[in-house]
Amino acid sequence: MPEFIKSNIFNVPVATLFAFHEREDALQLLTPPFPPVRIISKSAPGLVIGTRIELQVGFFHWVAIHTAYQQNVLFIDEQAQGPFARWIHRHEFEDLGGTRSRLTDRIDFTLPGGSAINFCFGWMVLLGLGRVFKYRHQVTRALTCINEPQ
């Protein structure tokens, strides 16, 4: 199963970094212009375990469910319906002391069609995720690290 990992250090306390991700508009803020993403519905505010989020991502209908939550440490969302055979996204937060923290996005995914498909096309997903999470971490830095040079 392919795995994507993007990790960055932010000059902001972990509580501030985590609180940004709990904002009701966080998903809209963190979504790059392409592919277009539209939130169809969300069953509860915040990152509550069991929250169901229904999205339209480009041509794909996607349903994700929050399956784990530990304030200032992590939250996990898993695809319940969508283009992947398996998709688990761990958002990990680490307190590095004072005003420094680390955000790590870790995604385990499997494409439909078996190991040959994953071997042949998994790299394309990894490339796309690299672009998406570069954008997401830049936005996170811009909106949380007010005194940090961009």
Side-chain angles (χ1 to χ4, degrees), residues 2-146:
E3 181 181 42
F4 172 81
I5 299 172
K6 175 73 172 178
S7 188
N8 272 303
I9 294 173
F10 296 83
N11 290 323
V12 63
V14 72
T16 302
L17 189 59
F18 195 87
F20 171 71
H21 286 79
E22 288 187 300
R23 290 174 49 164
E24 280 306 305
D25 63 347
L27 183 57
Q28 292 95 339
L29 292 170
L30 292 171
T31 300
F34 187 84
V37 175
R38 183 173 60 88
I39 298 173
I40 297 169
S41 68
K42 187 172 180 185
S43 66
L47 304 173
V48 177
I49 293 174
T51 298
R52 183 179 189 272
I53 304 168
E54 189 175 352
L55 306 166
Q56 186 69 36
V57 181
F59 298 111
F60 298 105
H61 182 105
W62 195 316
V63 177
I65 298 176
H66 290 298
T67 59
Y69 172 90
Q70 186 176 356
Q71 189 172 28
N72 298 335
V73 177
L74 71 84
F75 67 96
I76 299 173
D77 53 83
E78 297 186 34
Q79 175 193 278
Q81 180 184 345
F84 292 88
R86 173 181 162 99
W87 175 279
I88 301 172
H89 181 182
R90 293 177 56 92
H91 310 252
E92 302 169 354
F93 300 80
E94 182 182 355
D95 184 351
L96 300 177
T99 60
R100 288 172 37 98
S101 54
R102 180 188 324 272
L103 168 61
T104 301
D105 284 286
R106 187 180 313 271
I107 301 172
D108 292 321
F109 68 91
T110 305
L111 295 166
S115 58
I117 297 297
N118 282 283
F119 179 78
C120 291
F121 298 104
W123 67 271
M124 290 173 38
V125 175
L126 292 170
L127 185 63
L129 289 172
R131 290 186 189 124
V132 167
F133 282 89
K134 178 180 180 186
Y135 177 89
R136 289 179 73 142
H137 284 217
Q138 287 173 339
V139 169
T140 300
R141 188 173 310 283
L143 296 177
T144 62
C145 302
I146 305 303

